[in-house]
Every structure is written in structure tokens, then in C-alpha cells.
């Protein structure tokens, strides 16, 4: 592989624009190709973000031998199909979260990547945000003592048009998979896999969850209280409480630039900026893995992605939320 990693992007929506912008901030990456079902859209995107090539189909991009890794930024109902296509064409993949609609899809993607010795990672940028790295450092140093509780919320007022992505069941709509994944991932990062999960939700006429409330209970007695909603704006903060103090991750916690640490009655505010739109840190992690011939990230291993998908499946079963992908016996 050359010194620079050649990236391709499929699915040229809002998140892809931020990602493509951040690719240009990386010294070890270049945007080689972009693909859309609309060739004109791909051409415009390519010109705006200095891609070397553009394509009118995802398959054409995946067939290009110059591309080292493909960022899958399509709606999450298409993640499995798009990622499997790329893997079967022997391309490494960074797939935007959630990597699959359910744990079965995730398992199959992981199996395919490992069988081909290909890099695969879920696009959970939160893990690589510098402030998140600082929280992990503080916890590893046992700064808070034993973590006994945490709470996190994520809410925004979504477009209630039933055809809009967040309310459209066919596009994997609902708060849980779209934004609830962030509080849940943070709880997994901080406290691990819960012993018990209690969940309730409000379901819309379109059959997706507009509000989801969760209580995770852990073997050591710790608890996590988590919420997600597309009904209204919420603080979108996180609080981690231990026997020696607490850490607040300020709005929006999943890519925060501000932490408040309260230890033994002394409050310290930490301003920790990220570069660009925040995706460059995730990009650099992937580049490092590829340049070192690693097939997964030690910071966000595939086991974590699978554990997260199992937790999401458990919650969906408890609140009665299903999707078409759950009933497909043979997804290819």
C-alpha cells in the first residue's frame, strides 16, 4: 500500500460531506473516489471535495483496484448489503453506525471480513474524539474511583413527515438506532455489558420509536439511565459518577469539546478541541490500522460492535420494535 490511503465513499448525503471534508485534513489519506446512484450528484460531490474519480454505481467504485478502503455512508438499512458487496470485492470497509440492522447482519459482516483478512470497523466517531479519549484516560487512572452510575440522553426534534428518514421504518427510522446508539455505546465503553435491561418506548404510527428510555443494571450494582428521542431537543449530555467524583460530558456529549470534572469538591473544566468536523480522528485511526496491516481497531474492536448490536436487539425485543431485516432468513 502507498504511504497515503486511498478512500472511496458510497452514499453522498450529509454525513459524507463532513467526512469528505475531514479526509482532506489527513496527511495519510486522499479521497480517491465517490459513488452515487446519480452520476451527476457524484460528479458534483467529486468536484467539491477534490476526489480523483466519481462513479454512477457503488459496484464500479468497489471494482477500482486503486481504492484501499470504502466508507459506507448510506442509510443504515442498506449497510449490510453495501458492506458485504465491498467485502466480497476484497475492499476494507468503514461502515457508518449502526453497522447492521441486527446482530445477525453484524455477525455475517464480521465473518466475511475475517475470512478475507480484510479490515472492518463501525463508524462510531465518538470513540476517537479527543475528549472521549480523555474520559477513558481518567477512568483508567481510577480518578473517579468505582463508577456507580451514569446517565446520558440524546434528543432532537425530527421532521415528522412519515417519508422522512427518522420516521420512515423502511429506512430504519426511530430514535434508538439513529441516536440512542450513542448513549448505549457510552455505557458499554464505561460500564461494559449490562446484567439486566429495562426499557420502555413510545412508538409512532409509522411503527418506529420516537422516544426510548432505558435502565441498565450491572453485576456490581452500578446503573445507567439512558434516553433517546426524536420528539424534542434534550440537553444531550452525559454524566459519569464514581465514589471519588464525577465527569460531565457537555452538549453534545458524543463529540463534546468540554468536560467538567468534579473531584473531592474541586471542579475543573477541560476544553479539549477536536480537528475539523471531528471525523478526522476516526479517519487517522483507520489509516494507522491499514498502514500497519491490522484488520480491526484495538480502540473499537469488532467484538464491541457485536456486543452493541446484541444490546440493541435486546432493547428492540423489549419495546416491540422490528424491521424488515429481522424477518429476512437469507440476506445476501
Amino acid at each position: 500500500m502507498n504511504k497515503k490511503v486511498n478512500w472511496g465513499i458510497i452514499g453522498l448525503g450529509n454525513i459524507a460531506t463532513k467526512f469528505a471534508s475531514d479526509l482532506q485534513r489527513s496527511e495519510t489519506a486522499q479521497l480517491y473516489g465517490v459513488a452515487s446512484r446519480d452520476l451527476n450528484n457524484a460528479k458534483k460531490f467529486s468536484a467539491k471535495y477534490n476526489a480523483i474519480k466519481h462513479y454512477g454505481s457503488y459496484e464500479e467504485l468497489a471494482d477500482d483496484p486503486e481504492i484501499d478502503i470504502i466508507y459506507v455512508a448510506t442509510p443504515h438499512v442498506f449497510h449490510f448489503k453495501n458492506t458485504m458487496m465491498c467485502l466480497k470485492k476484497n475492499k476494507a470497509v468503514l461502515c457508518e453506525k449502526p453497522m447492521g440492522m441486527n446482530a445477525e447482519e453484524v455477525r455475517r459482516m464480521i465473518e466475511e471480513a475475517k475470512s478475507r483478512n480484510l479490515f472492518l470497523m463501525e463508524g462510531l466517531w465518538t470513540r476517537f474524539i479527543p475528549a472521549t479519549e480523555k474520559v477513558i484516560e481518567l477512568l483508567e487512572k481510577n480518578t473517579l474511583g468505582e463508577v456507580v452510575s451514569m446517565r446520558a440522553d440524546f434528543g432532537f426534534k425530527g421532521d415528522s413527515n412519515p417519508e422522512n428518514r427518522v420516521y420512515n421504518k423502511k429506512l430504519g427510522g426511530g430514535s434508538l438506532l439513529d441516536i440512542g446508539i450513542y448513549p448505549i455505546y457510552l455505557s458499554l465503553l464505561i460500564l461494559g455489558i449490562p446484567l439486566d435491561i429495562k426499557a420502555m418506548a413510545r412508538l409512532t404510527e409509522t411503527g418506529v420509536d420516537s422516544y426510548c428510555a432505558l435502565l441498565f443494571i450491572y453485576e456490581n450494582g452500578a446503573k445507567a439511565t439512558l434516553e433517546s428521542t426524536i420528539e424534542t431537543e434534550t440537553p444531550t449530555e452525559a454524566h459519569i459518577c464514581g465514589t471519588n467524583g464525577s465527569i460531565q460530558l457537555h452538549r453534545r456529549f458524543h463529540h463534546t469539546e468540554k468536560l467538567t470534572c468534579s473531584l473531592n469538591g474541586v471542579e475543573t473544566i477541560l476544553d479539549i478541541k477536536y480537528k475539523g468536523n471531528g471525523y478526522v480522528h476516526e479517519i487517522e485511526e483507520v489509516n494507522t490500522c491499514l498502514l500497519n496491516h491490522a484488520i480491526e481497531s484495538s480502540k473499537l474492536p469488532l467484538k464491541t460492535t457485536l456486543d452493541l448490536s446484541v444490546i440493541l436487539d435486546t432493547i428492540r425485543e423489549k419495546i416491540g420494535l422490528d424491521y424488515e431485516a429481522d424477518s429476512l432468513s437469507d440476506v445476501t
Side-chain angles (χ1 to χ4, degrees), residues 82-241:
N82 298 154
T83 296
M84 289 293 277
M85 182 274 293
C86 294
L87 292 172
K88 287 179 178 181
K89 290 179 181 289
N90 289 310
K91 295 299 184 188
V93 174
L94 171 66
C95 180
E96 189 48 50
K97 61 79 195 167
M99 198 160 85
M101 291 298 294
N102 52 48
E104 179 58 26
E105 287 190 348
V106 171
R107 283 191 191 97
R108 291 183 59 178
M109 285 186 273
I110 291 172
E111 288 170 3
E112 189 69 30
K114 288 188 174 181
S115 73
R116 295 173 180 272
N117 205 37
L118 290 169
F119 178 86
L120 175 64
M121 191 178 90
E122 184 173 24
L124 263 166
W125 65 323
T126 297
R127 175 59 184 84
F128 310 100
I129 295 292
T132 305
E133 296 269 28
K134 185 64 177 178
V135 170
I136 293 168
E137 177 192 324
L138 291 170
L139 293 174
E140 287 179 345
K141 290 179 177 177
N142 203 34
T143 306
L144 296 186
E146 183 182 2
V147 176
V148 294
S149 69
M150 68 160 286
R151 65 183 190 275
D153 70 277
F154 198 145
F156 70 92
K157 189 168 180 58
D159 184 345
S160 58
N161 183 334
E163 296 303 311
N164 182 274
R165 179 184 63 84
V166 294
Y167 276 87
N168 190 332
K169 194 169 189 176
K170 291 182 178 179
L171 292 179
S175 79
L176 180 65
L177 295 188
D178 192 47
I179 54 176
I181 190 172
Y182 287 113
I184 295 166
Y185 171 66
L186 186 64
S187 74
L188 184 59
L189 188 62
I190 304 303
L191 289 167
I193 299 172
L195 180 67
D196 188 26
I197 294 174
K198 300 187 184 303
M200 64 81 64
R202 276 193 291 272
L203 299 183
T204 68
E205 291 183 1
T206 61
V208 302
D209 69 300
S210 59
Y211 173 82
C212 187
L214 305 167
L215 175 63
F216 289 2
I217 302 166
Y218 299 86
E219 192 171 2
N220 66 351
K223 293 179 174 60
T225 306
L226 315 170
E227 286 184 308
S228 62
T229 181
I230 52 175
E231 296 174 352
T232 185
E233 289 280 343
T234 71
T236 310
E237 296 177 340
H239 300 259
I240 305 165
C241 301

Side-chain angles (χ1 to χ4, degrees), residues 55-73:
Y55 314 81
S57 79
Y58 302 158
E59 291 77 11
E60 283 182 83
L61 183 147
D63 282 331
D64 192 320
E66 294 300 316
I67 290 176
D68 300 311
I69 183 163
I70 297 172
Y71 174 50
V72 174

